[in-house]
mmCIF file of all heavy atoms in Angstrom:
data_model
loop_
_atom_site.group_PDB
_atom_site.id
_atom_site.type_symbol
_atom_site.label_atom_id
_atom_site.label_comp_id
_atom_site.label_asym_id
_atom_site.label_seq_id
_atom_site.Cartn_x
_atom_site.Cartn_y
_atom_site.Cartn_z
ATOM 1 N N LEU A 124 0.843 -1.192 0.000
ATOM 2 C CA LEU A 124 0.000 0.000 0.000
ATOM 3 C C LEU A 124 0.885 1.250 0.000
ATOM 4 O O LEU A 124 1.678 1.474 0.914
ATOM 5 C CB LEU A 124 -0.906 0.002 1.231
ATOM 6 C CG LEU A 124 -1.877 1.188 1.347
ATOM 7 C CD1 LEU A 124 -2.873 1.186 0.195
ATOM 8 C CD2 LEU A 124 -2.605 1.142 2.689
ATOM 9 N N ALA A 125 0.732 2.073 -1.058
ATOM 10 C CA ALA A 125 1.512 3.307 -1.164
ATOM 11 C C ALA A 125 0.705 4.523 -0.755
ATOM 12 O O ALA A 125 1.231 5.443 -0.118
ATOM 13 C CB ALA A 125 2.020 3.478 -2.597
ATOM 14 N N ALA A 126 -0.587 4.541 -1.129
ATOM 15 C CA ALA A 126 -1.414 5.703 -0.810
ATOM 16 C C ALA A 126 -2.872 5.283 -0.754
ATOM 17 O O ALA A 126 -3.282 4.295 -1.365
ATOM 18 C CB ALA A 126 -1.225 6.800 -1.861
ATOM 19 N N LEU A 127 -3.625 6.068 0.018
ATOM 20 C CA LEU A 127 -5.057 5.800 0.154
ATOM 21 C C LEU A 127 -5.782 7.130 0.202
ATOM 22 O O LEU A 127 -5.464 7.996 1.021
ATOM 23 C CB LEU A 127 -5.321 4.997 1.426
ATOM 24 C CG LEU A 127 -6.733 4.476 1.658
ATOM 25 C CD1 LEU A 127 -7.142 3.507 0.558
ATOM 26 C CD2 LEU A 127 -6.818 3.770 3.018
ATOM 27 N N GLY A 128 -6.744 7.283 -0.711
ATOM 28 C CA GLY A 128 -7.483 8.524 -0.758
ATOM 29 C C GLY A 128 -8.972 8.290 -0.665
ATOM 30 O O GLY A 128 -9.420 7.192 -0.303
ATOM 31 N N ALA A 129 -9.757 9.293 -0.998
ATOM 32 C CA ALA A 129 -11.210 9.187 -0.981
ATOM 33 C C ALA A 129 -11.661 8.572 -2.299
ATOM 34 O O ALA A 129 -11.703 9.252 -3.326
ATOM 35 C CB ALA A 129 -11.829 10.565 -0.785
ATOM 36 N N GLY A 130 -11.929 7.281 -2.276
ATOM 37 C CA GLY A 130 -12.393 6.584 -3.472
ATOM 38 C C GLY A 130 -11.312 5.936 -4.292
ATOM 39 O O GLY A 130 -11.600 5.385 -5.362
ATOM 40 N N ASN A 131 -10.072 5.954 -3.824
ATOM 41 C CA ASN A 131 -8.993 5.327 -4.599
ATOM 42 C C ASN A 131 -7.826 4.985 -3.694
ATOM 43 O O ASN A 131 -7.725 5.457 -2.552
ATOM 44 C CB ASN A 131 -8.524 6.269 -5.710
ATOM 45 C CG ASN A 131 -7.989 7.574 -5.161
ATOM 46 O OD1 ASN A 131 -6.851 7.658 -4.707
ATOM 47 N ND2 ASN A 131 -8.825 8.613 -5.184
ATOM 48 N N ALA A 132 -6.957 4.146 -4.228
ATOM 49 C CA ALA A 132 -5.729 3.772 -3.533
ATOM 50 C C ALA A 132 -4.647 3.584 -4.573
ATOM 51 O O ALA A 132 -4.926 3.485 -5.779
ATOM 52 C CB ALA A 132 -5.924 2.495 -2.721
ATOM 53 N N SER A 133 -3.420 3.531 -4.118
ATOM 54 C CA SER A 133 -2.290 3.265 -4.993
ATOM 55 C C SER A 133 -1.486 2.123 -4.394
ATOM 56 O O SER A 133 -1.068 2.190 -3.229
ATOM 57 C CB SER A 133 -1.412 4.511 -5.143
ATOM 58 O OG SER A 133 -0.334 4.259 -6.029
ATOM 59 N N LEU A 134 -1.325 1.066 -5.178
ATOM 60 C CA LEU A 134 -0.527 -0.081 -4.757
ATOM 61 C C LEU A 134 0.810 -0.046 -5.471
ATOM 62 O O LEU A 134 0.886 0.292 -6.658
ATOM 63 C CB LEU A 134 -1.254 -1.392 -5.072
ATOM 64 C CG LEU A 134 -2.619 -1.591 -4.410
ATOM 65 C CD1 LEU A 134 -3.257 -2.892 -4.893
ATOM 66 C CD2 LEU A 134 -2.496 -1.596 -2.898
ATOM 67 N N ALA A 135 1.869 -0.420 -4.749
ATOM 68 C CA ALA A 135 3.210 -0.420 -5.322
ATOM 69 C C ALA A 135 3.731 -1.842 -5.425
ATOM 70 O O ALA A 135 3.592 -2.625 -4.481
ATOM 71 C CB ALA A 135 4.150 0.430 -4.469
ATOM 72 N N CYS A 136 4.320 -2.172 -6.564
ATOM 73 C CA CYS A 136 4.914 -3.495 -6.732
ATOM 74 C C CYS A 136 5.965 -3.721 -5.649
ATOM 75 O O CYS A 136 6.842 -2.873 -5.418
ATOM 76 C CB CYS A 136 5.547 -3.608 -8.117
ATOM 77 S SG CYS A 136 6.473 -5.145 -8.374
ATOM 78 N N ALA A 137 5.892 -4.846 -4.979
ATOM 79 C CA ALA A 137 6.814 -5.141 -3.882
ATOM 80 C C ALA A 137 8.248 -5.293 -4.364
ATOM 81 O O ALA A 137 9.188 -5.215 -3.566
ATOM 82 C CB ALA A 137 6.370 -6.408 -3.156
ATOM 83 N N PHE A 138 8.449 -5.476 -5.680
ATOM 84 C CA PHE A 138 9.789 -5.687 -6.212
ATOM 85 C C PHE A 138 10.348 -4.443 -6.907
ATOM 86 O O PHE A 138 11.514 -4.100 -6.734
ATOM 87 C CB PHE A 138 9.771 -6.866 -7.193
ATOM 88 C CG PHE A 138 9.303 -8.150 -6.580
ATOM 89 C CD1 PHE A 138 8.032 -8.632 -6.842
ATOM 90 C CD2 PHE A 138 10.109 -8.872 -5.719
ATOM 91 C CE1 PHE A 138 7.583 -9.811 -6.277
ATOM 92 C CE2 PHE A 138 9.680 -10.052 -5.140
ATOM 93 C CZ PHE A 138 8.408 -10.524 -5.415
ATOM 94 N N THR A 139 9.511 -3.771 -7.688
ATOM 95 C CA THR A 139 9.999 -2.634 -8.472
ATOM 96 C C THR A 139 9.572 -1.291 -7.929
ATOM 97 O O THR A 139 10.143 -0.264 -8.287
ATOM 98 C CB THR A 139 9.493 -2.740 -9.923
ATOM 99 O OG1 THR A 139 8.062 -2.575 -9.945
ATOM 100 C CG2 THR A 139 9.859 -4.098 -10.523
ATOM 101 N N GLY A 140 8.531 -1.285 -7.102
ATOM 102 C CA GLY A 140 8.013 -0.018 -6.595
ATOM 103 C C GLY A 140 7.074 0.685 -7.545
ATOM 104 O O GLY A 140 6.524 1.739 -7.199
ATOM 105 N N ARG A 141 6.878 0.161 -8.747
ATOM 106 C CA ARG A 141 5.972 0.799 -9.694
ATOM 107 C C ARG A 141 4.553 0.791 -9.150
ATOM 108 O O ARG A 141 4.080 -0.239 -8.656
ATOM 109 C CB ARG A 141 6.024 0.102 -11.051
ATOM 110 C CG ARG A 141 7.294 0.382 -11.831
ATOM 111 C CD ARG A 141 7.134 0.002 -13.296
ATOM 112 N NE ARG A 141 7.058 -1.444 -13.440
ATOM 113 C CZ ARG A 141 8.099 -2.242 -13.681
ATOM 114 N NH1 ARG A 141 9.313 -1.708 -13.789
ATOM 115 N NH2 ARG A 141 7.938 -3.539 -13.818
ATOM 116 N N GLN A 142 3.867 1.914 -9.257
ATOM 117 C CA GLN A 142 2.558 2.059 -8.632
ATOM 118 C C GLN A 142 1.435 1.826 -9.629
ATOM 119 O O GLN A 142 1.561 2.091 -10.825
ATOM 120 C CB GLN A 142 2.421 3.441 -7.990
ATOM 121 C CG GLN A 142 3.383 3.643 -6.818
ATOM 122 C CD GLN A 142 3.065 4.875 -6.006
ATOM 123 O OE1 GLN A 142 1.987 5.456 -6.108
ATOM 124 N NE2 GLN A 142 4.015 5.273 -5.147
ATOM 125 N N LEU A 143 0.323 1.340 -9.081
ATOM 126 C CA LEU A 143 -0.857 1.035 -9.881
ATOM 127 C C LEU A 143 -2.075 1.573 -9.144
ATOM 128 O O LEU A 143 -2.279 1.256 -7.970
ATOM 129 C CB LEU A 143 -0.987 -0.486 -10.066
ATOM 130 C CG LEU A 143 -2.201 -0.976 -10.856
ATOM 131 C CD1 LEU A 143 -2.033 -0.635 -12.336
ATOM 132 C CD2 LEU A 143 -2.360 -2.493 -10.683
ATOM 133 N N PRO A 144 -2.906 2.377 -9.806
ATOM 134 C CA PRO A 144 -4.094 2.914 -9.125
ATOM 135 C C PRO A 144 -5.177 1.850 -8.969
ATOM 136 O O PRO A 144 -5.328 0.965 -9.808
ATOM 137 C CB PRO A 144 -4.554 4.039 -10.059
ATOM 138 C CG PRO A 144 -4.056 3.636 -11.413
ATOM 139 C CD PRO A 144 -2.756 2.911 -11.169
ATOM 140 N N VAL A 145 -5.928 1.946 -7.879
ATOM 141 C CA VAL A 145 -7.021 1.024 -7.589
ATOM 142 C C VAL A 145 -8.226 1.836 -7.138
ATOM 143 O O VAL A 145 -8.096 2.722 -6.279
ATOM 144 C CB VAL A 145 -6.634 0.013 -6.482
ATOM 145 C CG1 VAL A 145 -7.830 -0.861 -6.115
ATOM 146 C CG2 VAL A 145 -5.471 -0.847 -6.926
ATOM 147 N N VAL A 146 -9.378 1.548 -7.703
ATOM 148 C CA VAL A 146 -10.600 2.212 -7.278
ATOM 149 C C VAL A 146 -11.176 1.484 -6.071
ATOM 150 O O VAL A 146 -11.424 0.271 -6.119
ATOM 151 C CB VAL A 146 -11.639 2.237 -8.420
ATOM 152 C CG1 VAL A 146 -12.954 2.845 -7.936
ATOM 153 C CG2 VAL A 146 -11.101 3.018 -9.613
ATOM 154 N N CYS A 147 -11.356 2.188 -4.971
ATOM 155 C CA CYS A 147 -11.950 1.577 -3.771
ATOM 156 C C CYS A 147 -12.647 2.660 -2.955
ATOM 157 O O CYS A 147 -12.118 3.766 -2.786
ATOM 158 C CB CYS A 147 -10.907 0.855 -2.922
ATOM 159 S SG CYS A 147 -9.604 1.911 -2.270
ATOM 160 N N GLY A 148 -13.821 2.336 -2.459
ATOM 161 C CA GLY A 148 -14.573 3.291 -1.670
ATOM 162 C C GLY A 148 -14.149 3.327 -0.219
ATOM 163 O O GLY A 148 -14.346 4.328 0.476
ATOM 164 N N SER A 149 -13.574 2.226 0.258
ATOM 165 C CA SER A 149 -13.131 2.132 1.649
ATOM 166 C C SER A 149 -12.043 1.075 1.731
ATOM 167 O O SER A 149 -11.821 0.312 0.789
ATOM 168 C CB SER A 149 -14.302 1.788 2.576
ATOM 169 O OG SER A 149 -14.962 0.620 2.122
ATOM 170 N N ALA A 150 -11.381 1.043 2.857
ATOM 171 C CA ALA A 150 -10.276 0.098 3.035
ATOM 172 C C ALA A 150 -10.281 -0.458 4.450
ATOM 173 O O ALA A 150 -10.606 0.250 5.410
ATOM 174 C CB ALA A 150 -8.939 0.773 2.744
ATOM 175 N N VAL A 151 -9.920 -1.741 4.550
ATOM 176 C CA VAL A 151 -9.696 -2.382 5.849
ATOM 177 C C VAL A 151 -8.201 -2.674 5.934
ATOM 178 O O VAL A 151 -7.667 -3.442 5.117
ATOM 179 C CB VAL A 151 -10.506 -3.681 5.998
ATOM 180 C CG1 VAL A 151 -10.237 -4.314 7.373
ATOM 181 C CG2 VAL A 151 -11.994 -3.417 5.816
ATOM 182 N N LEU A 152 -7.529 -2.062 6.879
ATOM 183 C CA LEU A 152 -6.076 -2.181 7.001
ATOM 184 C C LEU A 152 -5.723 -3.186 8.097
ATOM 185 O O LEU A 152 -6.049 -2.985 9.268
ATOM 186 C CB LEU A 152 -5.460 -0.820 7.314
ATOM 187 C CG LEU A 152 -5.797 0.301 6.311
ATOM 188 C CD1 LEU A 152 -5.058 1.583 6.683
ATOM 189 C CD2 LEU A 152 -5.464 -0.123 4.884
ATOM 190 N N VAL A 153 -5.065 -4.265 7.695
ATOM 191 C CA VAL A 153 -4.668 -5.332 8.623
ATOM 192 C C VAL A 153 -3.143 -5.362 8.611
ATOM 193 O O VAL A 153 -2.525 -6.053 7.802
ATOM 194 C CB VAL A 153 -5.258 -6.691 8.206
ATOM 195 C CG1 VAL A 153 -5.027 -7.730 9.302
ATOM 196 C CG2 VAL A 153 -6.748 -6.565 7.889
ATOM 197 N N THR A 154 -2.541 -4.590 9.502
ATOM 198 C CA THR A 154 -1.088 -4.423 9.454
ATOM 199 C C THR A 154 -0.429 -4.818 10.774
ATOM 200 O O THR A 154 0.036 -5.928 10.933
ATOM 201 C CB THR A 154 -0.734 -2.977 9.075
ATOM 202 O OG1 THR A 154 -1.333 -2.072 10.019
ATOM 203 C CG2 THR A 154 -1.238 -2.646 7.675
ATOM 204 N N GLU A 155 -0.435 -3.899 11.732
ATOM 205 C CA GLU A 155 0.192 -4.163 13.026
ATOM 206 C C GLU A 155 -0.752 -3.771 14.152
ATOM 207 O O GLU A 155 -1.730 -3.062 13.929
ATOM 208 C CB GLU A 155 1.497 -3.365 13.181
ATOM 209 C CG GLU A 155 2.611 -3.813 12.284
ATOM 210 C CD GLU A 155 3.891 -3.025 12.506
ATOM 211 O OE1 GLU A 155 3.848 -1.966 13.196
ATOM 212 O OE2 GLU A 155 4.922 -3.444 11.984
ATOM 213 N N ARG A 156 -0.407 -4.236 15.364
ATOM 214 C CA ARG A 156 -1.182 -3.875 16.543
ATOM 215 C C ARG A 156 -0.345 -3.052 17.519
ATOM 216 O O ARG A 156 0.886 -3.211 17.574
ATOM 217 C CB ARG A 156 -1.710 -5.128 17.240
ATOM 218 C CG ARG A 156 -2.892 -5.759 16.527
ATOM 219 C CD ARG A 156 -3.336 -7.043 17.188
ATOM 220 N NE ARG A 156 -2.425 -8.134 16.877
ATOM 221 C CZ ARG A 156 -2.454 -9.322 17.478
ATOM 222 N NH1 ARG A 156 -3.325 -9.540 18.455
ATOM 223 N NH2 ARG A 156 -1.623 -10.265 17.122
ATOM 224 N N ILE A 157 -1.025 -2.217 18.261
ATOM 225 C CA ILE A 157 -0.388 -1.380 19.279
ATOM 226 C C ILE A 157 -0.912 -1.811 20.646
ATOM 227 O O ILE A 157 -2.117 -1.928 20.860
ATOM 228 C CB ILE A 157 -0.696 0.109 19.049
ATOM 229 C CG1 ILE A 157 -0.129 0.550 17.701
ATOM 230 C CG2 ILE A 157 -0.120 0.962 20.182
ATOM 231 C CD1 ILE A 157 -0.501 1.963 17.317
ATOM 232 N N ARG A 158 -0.011 -2.060 21.559
ATOM 233 C CA ARG A 158 -0.392 -2.555 22.884
ATOM 234 C C ARG A 158 -1.179 -1.513 23.667
ATOM 235 O O ARG A 158 -0.873 -0.317 23.614
ATOM 236 C CB ARG A 158 0.855 -2.953 23.671
ATOM 237 C CG ARG A 158 1.635 -4.088 23.034
ATOM 238 C CD ARG A 158 2.851 -4.474 23.867
ATOM 239 N NE ARG A 158 3.782 -3.373 24.014
ATOM 240 C CZ ARG A 158 4.358 -3.006 25.162
ATOM 241 N NH1 ARG A 158 4.084 -3.649 26.286
ATOM 242 N NH2 ARG A 158 5.203 -2.001 25.204
ATOM 243 N N GLU A 159 -2.176 -1.966 24.396
ATOM 244 C CA GLU A 159 -2.967 -1.101 25.277
ATOM 245 C C GLU A 159 -2.314 -1.091 26.660
ATOM 246 O O GLU A 159 -2.558 -1.963 27.492
ATOM 247 C CB GLU A 159 -4.406 -1.616 25.378
ATOM 248 C CG GLU A 159 -5.168 -1.598 24.064
ATOM 249 C CD GLU A 159 -5.696 -0.214 23.723
ATOM 250 O OE1 GLU A 159 -5.358 0.748 24.440
ATOM 251 O OE2 GLU A 159 -6.435 -0.099 22.737
ATOM 252 N N THR A 160 -1.450 -0.108 26.902
ATOM 253 C CA THR A 160 -0.666 -0.079 28.151
ATOM 254 C C THR A 160 -0.938 1.150 29.011
ATOM 255 O O THR A 160 -0.251 1.368 30.010
ATOM 256 C CB THR A 160 0.839 -0.142 27.829
ATOM 257 O OG1 THR A 160 1.184 0.991 27.004
ATOM 258 C CG2 THR A 160 1.184 -1.421 27.082
ATOM 259 N N THR A 161 -1.930 1.945 28.621
ATOM 260 C CA THR A 161 -2.202 3.178 29.380
ATOM 261 C C THR A 161 -2.539 2.887 30.835
ATOM 262 O O THR A 161 -2.015 3.526 31.764
ATOM 263 C CB THR A 161 -3.353 3.962 28.723
ATOM 264 O OG1 THR A 161 -3.008 4.247 27.363
ATOM 265 C CG2 THR A 161 -3.608 5.260 29.471
ATOM 266 N N LEU A 162 -3.414 1.917 31.061
ATOM 267 C CA LEU A 162 -3.792 1.579 32.440
ATOM 268 C C LEU A 162 -2.591 1.065 33.210
ATOM 269 O O LEU A 162 -2.369 1.452 34.368
ATOM 270 C CB LEU A 162 -4.913 0.537 32.433
ATOM 271 C CG LEU A 162 -5.326 0.015 33.819
ATOM 272 C CD1 LEU A 162 -5.861 1.152 34.687
ATOM 273 C CD2 LEU A 162 -6.359 -1.101 33.696
ATOM 274 N N HIS A 163 -1.808 0.208 32.581
ATOM 275 C CA HIS A 163 -0.620 -0.335 33.249
ATOM 276 C C HIS A 163 0.308 0.790 33.689
ATOM 277 O O HIS A 163 0.814 0.792 34.829
ATOM 278 C CB HIS A 163 0.095 -1.302 32.305
ATOM 279 C CG HIS A 163 1.347 -1.895 32.865
ATOM 280 N ND1 HIS A 163 2.595 -1.364 32.623
ATOM 281 C CD2 HIS A 163 1.544 -2.973 33.671
ATOM 282 C CE1 HIS A 163 3.513 -2.098 33.242
ATOM 283 N NE2 HIS A 163 2.905 -3.077 33.890
#
């Protein structure tokens, strides 16, 4: 994932970096988690 806008995204080739536009109305991002440590 290179960019995400309102109604579109840009994907980059994992090998060359060349970007390709994608039409999408919304996105679900499944990447990393952040620990909930505020209470601790």
Side-chain angles (χ1 to χ4, degrees):
L124 181 63
L127 187 62
N131 60 80
S133 182
L134 300 176
C136 174
F138 301 104
T139 67
R141 287 196 290 267
Q142 294 192 15
L143 178 72
V145 175
V146 176
C147 62
S149 54
V151 180
L152 304 183
V153 189
T154 57
E155 291 182 347
R156 284 176 284 170
I157 298 174
R158 297 181 299 134
E159 297 280 7
T160 60
T161 303
L162 175 62
H163 178 265

